[in-house]
Amino acid sequence: MDVRFPSRSDVVGSYLRPEYLHQARRDFKEGVIDRAALTAVEDRAILELVEQQKVAGLKVITDGEFRRSWWHIDFLENLNGVEGYVPEAGYNQQFKGKDAPSYNIRVSGKVSFNPNHPFLAHFDFLKKATETGDESIAKATIPSPTMILRQEILANDGSSRLDEIYSDVNGFYHDLAQTYRDAIQAYYAHGCRYLQFDDTNWAFLVDADKRDGLVARGIDPDKISDICTQIINQSLAGKPDDLVITTHICRGNHASSWLFSGGYEPVAKALFATHYDGFFLEYDNDRAGDFAPLRYCEGKEARIVLGLVTSKFPELEDPELIKARIKEASDYVPLENLCISPQCGFASTAEGNKLAIDDQWNKIRLLNRVADQVWAS
């Protein structure tokens, strides 16, 4: 594992799209431009974003998820055995204060990795633009395998055909892990050395209302947590030593709204039993709880990335308060194992959060300044 990453001041992945990219997507949807023309606009926007990230002082560079509509669905629906569809009842999770577009994924056959997955070519473009001889590294972000599990086992929206496809649910779990082992090897073969699994499933499992709902259906949320740990660790088995794989835990992030609430305590033991090299943890408000669950990190070499700056709103946090919270977290995790970041991306869906692009960069620069002061060499 490269100890430089996660970086002391890191990022989750998505950024606000420039207006000309929004317009190009509208034009493509209306048939005004073709796919090649849209791709050319995306390429331009990503090249600009790479330079903007470097100017802002970041070493970890992403493509902003500029080619996606959703942080997760675009990747998942391009796996074998997974399809996107429009559910009759709408999106199966209710955001607080904002309706999400009516689109989702479901398992349609035996799940496996698509060796021609379009995200691999997307990463090739990012890597070539990013890794130009300086210290920058291209970071790829994809949804966790447990996002498919949640949709099929936990969401309960009536869309699942899993029983028709898998006579034994353990076969489904096995295929999820194998799919991601193959994805990891594919990304590695394309030169990726920093990969992140984004995951709202753990946040679903900490929410008291969701846990009560599972129990009412005869599902033990603690058992599901253990199954998630097993799937993730089986996915990570055999990963190359020089590939850093982290995860990001989020309670929902669509147009500055959210889905779930609750501290990490109910899942902390299972979560920190996963073999990730780093954990990006949402800690920008009271919905995330306190730092006590970090005690389960004791003895682990993984870096803990504290999401202390919100990506949802433009107001800048007090740097002294950020430093105080880092110090508080260091009661559970040594300072040398801590990092900071926004609590989530700035645009988990193409619409983006309710702040301006300049506000986004102000947040990044604030994190960089605090990191320089806290971890000054």
Side-chain angles (χ1 to χ4, degrees), residues 7 42 132 161 198 232 261 350:
S7 177
E42 291 170 343
T132 56
R161 296 166 42 213
D198 293 319
I232 290 167
S261 182

Side-chain angles (χ1 to χ4, degrees), residues 319-320 323 366-377:
E320 295 307 314
K323 294 175 190 176
L366 170 63
L367 285 162
N368 289 345
R369 287 196 301 272
V370 172
D372 287 344
Q373 293 166 11
V374 172
W375 289 280
S377 56

Side-chain angles (χ1 to χ4, degrees), residues 17-234:
R17 279 68 161 168
E19 176 54 34
Y20 71 80
L21 179 53
H22 285 302
Q23 184 61 52
R25 285 195 169 277
R26 290 191 291 267
D27 290 345
F28 175 71
K29 185 177 181 179
E30 295 170 4
V32 176
I33 63 173
D34 61 12
R35 170 59 66 178
L38 175 60
T39 297
V41 176
E42 291 170 343
D43 289 351
R44 170 192 164 192
I46 291 168
L47 290 174
E48 290 176 356
L49 178 67
V50 168
E51 182 60 25
Q52 288 165 349
Q53 289 173 88
K54 291 187 177 186
V55 169
L58 292 170
K59 302 302 181 186
V60 175
I61 309 296
T62 77
D63 66 2
E65 302 178 2
F66 277 9
R67 302 188 197 275
R68 309 184 203 182
S69 296
W70 294 72
W71 64 274
H72 60 318
I73 291 177
D74 300 65
F75 178 86
L76 297 175
E77 68 181 351
N78 280 289
L79 298 173
N80 296 327
V82 179
E83 65 179 6
Y85 76 107
V86 178
E88 293 182 4
Y91 190 66
N92 65 1
Q93 299 295 329
Q94 183 61 51
F95 282 86
K96 307 301 188 289
K98 177 70 177 180
D99 291 332
S102 182
Y103 197 70
N104 215 327
I105 58 100
R106 62 188 171 195
V107 172
S108 58
K110 293 297 178 71
V111 180
S112 65
F113 185 69
N114 171 13
N116 297 313
H117 199 294
F119 275 39
L120 296 174
H122 297 172
F123 178 76
D124 291 340
F125 184 88
L126 174 65
K127 180 178 173 64
K128 182 178 180 181
T130 296
E131 298 179 6
T132 56
D134 54 19
E135 295 183 352
S136 302
I137 186 169
K139 176 180 177 178
T141 61
I142 62 175
S144 165
T146 53
M147 293 306 302
I148 306 177
L149 176 149
R150 193 186 91 194
Q151 175 61 24
E152 294 295 329
I153 305 295
L154 308 183
N156 192 31
D157 67 354
S159 68
S160 178
R161 296 166 42 213
L162 196 65
D163 291 345
E164 304 170 18
I165 298 165
Y166 287 94
S167 59
D168 181 354
V169 72
N170 291 305
F172 171 57
Y173 299 154
H174 171 274
D175 284 359
L176 283 183
Q178 185 62 56
T179 297
Y180 273 74
R181 280 200 299 274
D182 293 342
I184 289 168
Q185 294 301 325
Y187 269 97
Y188 188 81
H190 280 251
C192 179
R193 296 299 180 267
Y194 191 177
L195 180 63
Q196 178 177 293
F197 288 5
D198 293 319
D199 198 340
T200 62
N201 185 64
W202 294 108
F204 181 101
L205 290 169
V206 305
D207 189 289
D209 290 341
K210 300 299 182 184
R211 291 177 70 85
D212 289 346
L214 292 177
V215 171
R217 293 165 49 204
I219 298 174
D220 182 349
D222 294 330
K223 182 177 180 181
I224 291 293
S225 295
D226 290 338
I227 290 170
C228 291
T229 299
Q230 294 167 19
I231 292 171
I232 290 167
N233 284 344
Q234 289 168 13

Side-chain angles (χ1 to χ4, degrees), residues 307-377:
L308 299 174
V309 168
T310 188
S311 68
K312 296 183 185 294
F313 305 109
E315 293 78 14
L316 282 179
E317 288 77 359
D318 180 348
E320 295 307 314
L321 180 57
I322 297 173
K323 294 175 190 176
R325 297 202 72 199
I326 294 169
K327 186 176 187 302
E328 183 182 349
S330 70
D331 290 341
Y332 301 96
V333 177
L335 183 62
E336 60 266 25
N337 289 348
L338 292 175
C339 307
I340 52 176
S341 75
Q343 113 285 346
C344 195
F346 292 94
S348 297
T349 58
E351 182 176 346
N353 283 343
K354 296 178 180 179
L355 68 169
I357 288 178
D358 285 347
D359 298 325
Q360 162 185 273
W361 297 117
N362 288 338
K363 297 273 186 174
I364 295 296
R365 285 189 285 268
L366 170 63
L367 285 162
N368 289 345
R369 287 196 301 272
V370 172
D372 287 344
Q373 293 166 11
V374 172
W375 289 280
S377 56

